Amino acid sequence: MRYLPHTDEEIRDMLQVVGAADLDGLFASIPRNCRRSGDMDLPEAMSEWDLNRHMNHLAAATAATPEYRIFMGAGSYDHFIPAATTYLMGRSEFSTAYTPYQPEISQGTLQAIYEYQTFITRLLGLDVANASMYDGASALAEALLMAIRITKRRKVAVSTAVHPLYRKVAATYLSPAEFDIVEIPYGSDGRTDLGGLGNPADFAAVAVQSPNFFGCIEDLQALGQAIHGDPKTLMVTCFSEPLAYGLLKSPGSCGADIACGEGQSFGIPRSFGGPGLGIFAARRQFVRSMPGRLVGQTVDKDGKRGFVLTLATREQHIRRERATSNICSNQGLCLTNAIIYLASLGGSGIRALARLNHDKAEYLKAALKKAGVAVPFESPTFNEFVVQFPPGFADTHARLLAKKIVAGLPLGAYYKELADHYLLCATETCTAEDLDRLVKEVTS
Amino acid sequence: MNEPAGTTGLVFNEPLLWEKGAPGRCGVSLPQRDVPASPLDSALTGDAPDFPDLSEIDVIRHFTRLSQWNFGVDSGMYPLGSCTMKYNPKTNERQAALAGFCGAHPLMPESLAQGVLKIMFELQQYLAEITGMHAVTLQPAAGSQGELTGMMLFAAYHRSQGAPRKKIIIPDSAHGTNPASAALCGFKPVAVKSDENGLLSPQAVKAVMDTDTAGIMITNPNTLGLFEEHIRQVADIVHAKGGLVYGDGANMNAIMGIVDMAQTGFDAMHLNLHKTFSTPHGGGGPGSGPVCVTRALEPFLPVPRVLEAGGRYTLSDDFPQSIGKLHAFYGNFGILIRAYSYIRSMGAANLKKASQLAVLNANYIKERLKGTYHLAYDRPCMHECVFSDKYQEAHHVTTLDIAKRLMEYGFHPPTIYFPLVVHGAIMIEPTETECRQDIDRFIEAMQAIAREAEESPELLHAAPRIPKVRRLDETLAARKPCLAG
Amino acid sequence: MKELSELKFADDVRYAEDHEWAKLEGDTVTVGISDYAQDQLGDIVFVELPQVGDSFAKGDEFGTVESVKAVSELYMPVGGEIVAINEALEDSPESVNNAPYTDGWMIKVNPSNPADYDSLMDREAYLEKLKGQEE
């Protein structure tokens, strides 16, 4: 086996030094009743060539872009990934390193994290960003737990226009300790309706998403004012499509205390939903309550600039059961991916790309409207929006799969009241021709 | 001894991203604009984020230079205890990059996702077989999320028995994630001390186990690199009071094909695919922490679960007792492919051999260094061994100094100051993928450093001098946090 | 870490088992940590203090003190209400290292029970205790 370098002779010599008769003898301390009775029943080892064939076959049994036209976002977006990004991601000095606990020989990872933290604070309009959470959903859950710690209140409010799968994860995280989640409805315009919120002082945090699950851009400023009706209540803003902030007002500038969500859009392949990137940023005053790792700037013995993991006393390896989170491994390589991609885009590029996404989706929306498809929510959207197809569209949706078109995500499974409603997405990877064809197919 | 692997060479200074570039440069070519511009309410739009504009070569040079300041497994031996820094096979990367996998949308209709679902289903079966457990969830994104899942399963199980419990037993040698994960679930950790042999004592567990205790979290082999020899008695004590046993499988690399984890009494355990199953650590992640459980805990596993019937794979949410969901989708699927690719490349015999050789390498290091460095527990070890700086104290040389000097010999330092139960711990895990020559050179470097500690300790105090930067002022970083530029 | 003989032990304060000192001035008791405690902790990077108006019993945790890689709890040497906190520590936590009995003070307490103060150790008793630990 090419990963196991020992020759038989080396094994013999080493066993002699150790004082064991054979390899089995190394395991003498393991009681009989803990041992396996037989060999593991696993498929035969494959040569690399055989494995390639096997994996090619499995990959071919999965529909993926560009072969399929997938007009579906909902937390996983098809964005163009430049060759330079993929190329740099192949640098094994990044991928085969561990967490940078020895800063002198991890400056590459550490500076990349510091640059990532900086870009995220600038994107989201907040003071500090951590070195990532697992994904957008767990980032939201941790944001709510953080608000509970800061305010010492046991109840949070979450908009039903937040991604339903994120809400499910948040509920799973909050339920063992019996914290309550109150759901806030969305209005007929597709935006969160805070009308029934009551007294914000009842809540540790109020969480909204923008663009929300329906693609609608929330009026974060107005929401922020309502939520901060009690100055202690935290405004948590989440997102599944952070590219929108190339164009939109940042959550921080609208009053968000914590902004968090999924960063897969930043050059990370969709990979059936993971690994992605949990983005997490907050106001400076809350930094000591934040979960996750933080990198800070400092100097070395000779006064030279360098970077280290810092404020580690918040974390599990020091504070154990009193830590701000149990997170240890995060999504380090994915944040490296994101900073490489964002550096390539630059400030001008992210603006242009965000506009292009918005305009592609608007083009599709207008064409569908013109063809008689109902667009129930009137609020402005970014690169996703909801349509209502005539009853029975499910058959058309299924028929289009055979033509290698996925005509959006059916919403009935997530919202009972939204049967026949579909969430469509158009990014920069959809040509006008693709969009025209989709309109034709769904209306014929 | 031959010349040490560590040497000097040309690396480059490189500014921060925003210290370079020029407005108007561009590092990407956007797809052609073939749709008209469409207005958006200016009340909603803001300024473009303040990112520098860089060209493609600016970005390539920047990150290439940064990467050269890093030490990875591909650079040299990385004997970081408890982290299993084994070689990350390149074929795994090839498989994960296949268009069908990396372009797959997670909410595709099942009929279009058969390839990826099959991988998940089969990987669950393999992990069940390797551990001896009954069912598996692949959803947890890392080991600590696996622990959290395990604790949620325990809480759900006790609730289903009509008797929620409040406490959880955790040995003092445990990784910090154990108590942190338990606390997130509302359990109060109760510590038990290791005995004089570094092992969990059945008497100590018996003394604290009661009917308000949900169970125990055990790392086996433990963080001292020792197999918990009384594991069965401990499990029996916990089970007798209605409790459950959680296994932290961070150290599974020692015992594949040798130990049946269900037989040892585990009710649930997580695996770290980024340790045992060769997926790269990525400078801190992404990892993957599948949880394996017995039949009794299966109904509580997170949803959706992958099911198979007649060769067709489906995702099902129909498990009313499920704890819910830990990840927006199905976990770190790209990491699962790599682990799958590894298991298929290795087969049963090579996985077992990997464990045997990992244990051989660790014992070999232990035997050859035990006169030179103080060995915390002089017993046969598993895949790692724990020394301390006790012999070097007299020369005012600490574990930190030894670690920093080791860099100059071209090795990544071992894990230091953990486990907490050994003062000044030096925890060495060579893994099976290091060959004898490299292990010998590591041993020789450690011996040379021990001599230097006696003869010229200033070499150690000043180390490291060859890397890009020298020792960094962590106090300044924490007192005056500068977390963004 | 320093030898006991190199450390300073103020004689106008009393000491608690957990290495806090307390100094009675008029009606209020000022609290900090001893030179021995700061030396054990190493470079202090952050001190977390309660809010003015909070009340604690003797022995309750009132805050934490952090070095780069450790966190230690701070315990009330006397019970009572917090009447002042040392806000300067936010920007210069190093005062706890450099001047533990003066600039490094942490809280001022309005004690609820005078007997609490009387039960604390004087300099000699505290030194005896530390010598006992060393052996």
Side-chain angles (χ1 to χ4, degrees):
Chain A
M1 201 322 138
R2 65 193 188 282
Y3 314 145
L4 305 176
H6 300 60
T7 65
D8 290 342
E9 197 189 338
E10 286 170 333
I11 292 173
R12 262 199 315 276
D13 287 354
M14 291 172 80
L15 281 169
Q16 208 162 17
V17 172
V18 168
D22 52 23
L23 288 172
D24 284 336
L26 296 167
F27 298 89
S29 65
I30 299 179
R32 286 265 148 235
N33 59 9
C34 293
R35 307 243 187 157
R36 289 189 77 92
S37 43
D39 290 335
M40 295 183 287
D41 182 14
L42 295 171
E44 282 292 308
M46 281 176 140
S47 74
E48 186 172 9
W49 186 81
D50 286 315
L51 180 69
N52 286 353
R53 266 172 36 111
H54 175 71
M55 298 303 277
N56 288 351
H57 178 72
L58 289 172
T62 305
T65 46
E67 192 192 347
Y68 276 73
R69 300 310 299 151
I70 301 171
F71 298 95
M72 193 158 69
S76 179
Y77 300 90
D78 185 29
H79 291 298
F80 170 66
I81 302 172
T85 301
T86 311
Y87 177 83
L88 285 170
M89 287 303 291
R91 300 279 322 182
S92 71
E93 297 92 332
F94 287 127
S95 62
T96 72
Y98 196 72
T99 304
Y101 289 133
Q102 297 289 346
E104 297 87 350
I105 50 175
S106 312
Q107 283 299 303
T109 296
L110 287 160
Q111 183 167 328
I113 297 174
Y114 182 76
E115 291 173 336
Y116 162 83
Q117 289 176 180
T118 301
F119 271 48
I120 295 301
T121 59
R122 293 181 184 190
L123 181 77
L124 299 176
L126 286 161
D127 308 311
V128 283
N130 75 12
S132 80
M133 310 300 292
Y134 305 128
D135 71 342
S138 68
L140 172 63
E142 293 264 20
L144 297 174
L145 288 170
M146 175 171 152
I148 288 167
R149 277 196 302 278
I150 291 170
T151 60
K152 302 190 171 72
R153 297 174 184 167
R154 299 188 58 87
K155 205 155 70 169
V156 295
V158 179
S159 164
T160 49
V162 169
H163 198 305
L165 298 175
Y166 292 14
R167 283 187 280 131
K168 194 158 181 178
V169 172
T172 305
Y173 265 77
L174 266 60
S175 81
E178 295 177 352
F179 299 120
D180 289 329
I181 301 181
V182 173
E183 298 213 318
I184 318 169
Y186 63 89
S188 58
D189 59 353
R191 283 175 164 175
T192 301
D193 177 6
L194 282 187
L197 179 68
N199 184 0
D202 291 343
F203 301 102
V206 180
V208 297
Q209 176 177 329
S210 184
N212 68 25
F213 184 65
F214 306 128
C216 298
I217 302 165
E218 296 276 5
D219 185 350
L220 289 181
Q221 236 158 356
L223 292 171
Q225 274 163 16
I227 293 163
H228 287 141
D230 177 64
K232 275 194 175 164
T233 306
L234 268 63
M235 177 182 186
V236 174
T237 305
C238 87
F239 48 80
S240 66
E241 179 46 295
L243 178 63
Y245 292 107
L247 193 54
L248 304 181
K249 277 202 172 83
S250 68
S253 70
C254 298
D257 298 293
I258 304 173
C260 59
E262 176 58 52
Q264 175 269 329
S265 278
F266 292 154
I268 301 169
R270 276 174 299 175
S271 279
F272 204 48
L277 172 64
I279 295 177
F280 198 104
R283 296 198 181 283
R284 186 180 307 280
Q285 72 217 66
F286 301 126
V287 64
R288 289 182 186 273
S289 302
M290 268 173 86
R293 296 183 180 130
L294 292 166
V295 167
Q297 182 178 305
T298 185
V299 293
D300 79 352
K301 260 186 164 173
D302 297 335
K304 225 157 111 181
R305 176 167 73 187
F307 302 91
V308 291
L309 289 171
T310 192
L311 303 185
T313 47
R314 300 163 298 111
E315 293 180 65
Q316 46 75 28
H317 61 282
I318 294 174
R319 208 175 284 236
R320 298 173 83 87
E321 68 265 27
R322 298 175 71 176
T324 55
S325 169
N326 68 332
I327 193 166
C328 181
S329 281
N330 53 23
Q331 303 286 111
L333 197 60
C334 301
L335 82 79
T336 308
N337 194 337
I339 186 61
I340 292 169
Y341 175 82
L342 290 174
S344 304
L345 274 183
S348 314
I350 193 171
R351 183 66 156 196
L353 181 62
R355 274 209 180 281
L356 190 55
N357 272 255
H358 170 259
D359 294 346
K360 295 266 186 182
E362 286 302 303
Y363 176 84
L364 176 63
K365 196 199 276 179
L368 285 167
K369 268 185 178 168
K370 201 172 154 196
V373 176
V375 176
F377 301 138
E378 276 172 16
S379 308
T381 56
F382 179 60
N383 63 6
E384 288 179 275
F385 57 93
V386 174
V387 293
Q388 183 178 11
F389 286 125
F393 181 78
D395 291 342
T396 311
H397 192 270
R399 185 169 51 76
L400 289 179
L401 297 181
K403 293 189 174 183
K404 302 194 172 176
I405 293 174
V406 182
L409 179 73
L411 292 181
Y414 304 102
Y415 298 86
K416 272 193 211 119
E417 70 280 14
L418 297 181
D420 299 319
H421 287 63
Y422 288 76
L423 182 64
L424 288 171
C425 176
T427 69
E428 78 280 5
T429 63
C430 300
T431 61
E433 197 186 330
D434 293 332
L435 300 172
D436 292 340
R437 183 166 165 230
L438 175 68
V439 175
K440 200 174 136 223
E441 293 286 359
V442 297
T443 53
S444 60
Chain B
M1 170 183 176
N2 302 327
E3 246 189 301
T7 183
T8 50
L10 183 62
V11 294
F12 301 85
N13 285 314
E14 178 64 15
L16 292 159
L17 282 169
W18 48 93
E19 293 167 353
K20 52 191 283 182
R25 267 188 208 164
C26 182
V28 292
S29 68
L30 297 184
Q32 198 190 341
R33 169 175 277 279
D34 53 7
V35 296
S38 180
L40 177 62
D41 183 358
S42 64
L44 296 172
T45 57
D47 299 329
D50 181 17
F51 297 167
D53 285 350
L54 305 161
S55 68
E56 183 168 323
I57 191 168
D58 285 337
V59 175
I60 290 283
R61 287 236 171 99
H62 181 82
F63 289 101
T64 300
R65 288 176 173 186
L66 259 56
S67 77
Q68 290 167 339
W69 306 341
N70 262 7
F71 190 111
V73 175
D74 285 3
S75 325
M77 183 169 163
Y78 213 126
L80 201 59
S82 240
C83 301
T84 314
M85 296 297 283
K86 63 168 76 177
Y87 172 64
N88 310 128
K90 304 313 166 200
T91 194
N92 299 353
E93 303 303 312
R94 184 260 182 202
Q95 314 308 344
L98 286 170
F101 299 141
C102 68
H105 192 289
L107 299 177
M108 292 289 279
E110 286 155 354
S111 62
L112 299 183
Q114 289 297 300
V116 288
L117 293 177
K118 184 175 163 111
I119 287 179
M120 290 174 64
F121 186 82
E122 290 185 350
L123 181 59
Q124 288 176 3
Q125 288 184 312
Y126 302 159
L127 298 180
E129 175 61 23
I130 290 166
T131 55
M133 305 295 280
H134 174 71
V136 178
T137 174
L138 302 173
Q139 216 177 93
S144 60
Q145 207 186 25
E147 292 170 18
L148 176 61
T149 305
M151 290 302 96
M152 287 177 175
L153 294 171
F154 280 21
Y157 169 84
H158 287 299
R159 263 199 313 276
S160 78
Q161 303 290 304
R165 297 184 174 202
K166 288 265 181 303
K167 295 182 287 183
I168 189 98
I169 302 171
I170 301 178
D172 57 359
S173 59
H175 196 266
T177 52
N178 286 186
S181 301
L184 259 175
C185 245
F187 290 129
K188 188 177 155 21
V190 177
V192 288
K193 274 196 177 8
S194 320
D195 70 10
E196 67 282 4
N197 294 319
L199 298 174
L200 194 52
S201 124
Q203 289 74 28
V205 173
K206 196 164 191 175
V208 291
M209 183 63 208
D210 59 22
T211 54
D212 197 31
T213 302
I216 186 168
M217 296 181 92
I218 302 176
T219 308
N220 195 19
N222 68 20
T223 59
L224 294 162
L226 306 175
F227 191 86
E228 291 288 359
E229 293 174 19
H230 316 299
I231 181 86
R232 277 293 296 268
Q233 288 142 275
V234 168
D236 288 346
I237 289 164
V238 172
H239 288 150
K241 291 268 162 97
L244 298 168
V245 181
Y246 185 81
D248 180 331
N251 296 336
M252 189 71 198
N253 203 45
I255 50 178
M256 284 186 290
I258 292 151
V259 172
D260 181 323
M261 304 308 259
Q263 280 297 314
T264 69
F266 282 178
D267 298 286
M269 67 174 292
H270 77 261
L271 295 167
N272 298 78
L273 299 188
H274 49 292
K275 296 182 180 176
T276 313
F277 296 94
S278 85
T279 77
H281 286 66
S288 176
V291 172
C292 313
V293 298
T294 55
R295 198 178 291 273
L297 290 181
E298 185 182 4
F300 307 102
L301 286 177
V303 289
R305 298 189 52 201
V306 190
L307 306 179
E308 186 263 353
R312 299 299 292 169
Y313 300 91
T314 51
L315 287 164
S316 173
D317 275 313
D318 191 16
F319 293 90
Q321 288 185 288
S322 166
I323 55 166
K325 205 161 167 39
L326 275 300
H327 188 274
F329 300 112
Y330 321 109
N332 284 336
F333 177 74
I335 304 304
L336 304 180
I337 302 177
R338 291 169 171 88
Y340 178 92
S341 161
Y342 178 68
I343 293 171
R344 295 302 299 257
S345 299
M346 294 288 276
N350 285 317
L351 286 176
K352 181 175 179 182
K353 184 116 187 239
S355 283
Q356 290 173 326
L357 296 178
V359 173
L360 177 65
N361 278 352
N363 276 285
Y364 180 78
I365 290 174
K366 174 177 73 77
E367 283 306 313
R368 289 203 48 200
L369 282 182
K370 77 178 177 189
T372 313
Y373 291 92
H374 174 250
L375 184 62
Y377 295 92
D378 191 2
R379 307 167 55 79
C381 67
M382 291 279 116
H383 63 304
E384 63 194 4
C385 50
V386 182
F387 293 95
S388 82
D389 57 1
K390 202 172 183 176
Y391 298 163
Q392 283 70 37
E393 254 176 5
H395 314 291
H396 298 284
V397 162
T398 64
T399 289
L400 187 70
D401 299 326
I402 296 164
K404 300 299 183 194
R405 180 67 176 145
L406 202 47
M407 293 175 187
E408 301 187 304
Y409 279 88
F411 295 95
H412 193 284
T415 292
I416 54 174
Y417 300 107
F418 184 83
L420 306 174
V421 292
V422 176
H423 184 79
I426 303 172
M427 185 196 213
I428 301 170
E429 179 181 8
T431 84
E432 73 281 6
T433 58
E434 294 305 320
C435 69
R436 168 151 190 206
Q437 286 77 8
D438 288 345
I439 300 254
D440 281 339
R441 299 191 75 171
F442 171 77
I443 290 166
E444 287 157 15
M446 287 293 283
Q447 289 166 339
I449 291 170
R451 281 194 302 276
E452 290 169 354
E454 288 177 35
E455 294 160 9
S456 37
E458 67 284 356
L459 272 178
L460 280 73
H461 295 143
R465 274 170 300 197
I466 357 180
K468 176 74 173 45
V469 294
R470 301 184 60 198
R471 288 193 205 187
L472 290 139
D473 188 343
E474 298 191 47
T475 303
L476 174 71
R479 277 184 182 162
K480 309 262 181 263
C482 172
L483 306 172
Chain C
M1 270 168 260
K2 293 180 183 167
E3 300 294 326
L4 279 184
S5 56
E6 300 171 85
L7 296 167
K8 293 193 187 73
F9 293 97
D11 52 13
D12 56 349
V13 305
R14 297 279 185 104
Y15 296 89
E17 289 288 330
D18 299 300
H19 308 287
E20 290 83 10
W21 56 260
K23 183 177 181 180
L24 183 63
E25 288 167 304
D27 289 341
T28 58
V29 174
T30 304
V31 176
I33 62 170
S34 73
D35 201 20
Y36 173 82
Q38 72 76 21
D39 182 60
Q40 290 283 316
L41 289 164
D43 289 341
I44 286 160
V45 299
F46 184 67
V47 185
E48 187 190 13
L49 295 174
Q51 290 181 340
V52 172
D54 289 352
S55 283
F56 299 95
K58 178 183 163 79
D60 280 359
E61 183 185 325
F62 70 85
T64 55
V65 58
E66 298 183 9
S67 60
V68 172
K69 285 180 180 150
V71 184
S72 301
E73 286 81 31
L74 297 164
Y75 299 101
M76 296 290 278
V78 299
E81 187 190 329
I82 309 292
V83 293
I85 60 168
N86 186 355
E87 284 169 10
L89 293 182
E90 192 172 341
D91 285 328
S92 42
E94 60 273 19
S95 299
V96 178
N97 294 120
N98 302 339
Y101 303 104
T102 52
D103 290 351
W105 71 273
M106 292 174 176
I107 52 171
K108 291 188 193 287
V109 184
N110 184 6
S112 47
N113 179 7
D116 284 352
Y117 185 81
D118 296 335
S119 69
L120 296 171
M121 290 174 272
D122 63 10
R123 184 177 186 275
E124 279 62 41
Y126 182 56
L127 268 171
E128 276 309 303
K129 171 191 147 75
L130 294 180
K131 279 179 195 148
Q133 278 180 359
E134 301 256 300
E135 278 151 19

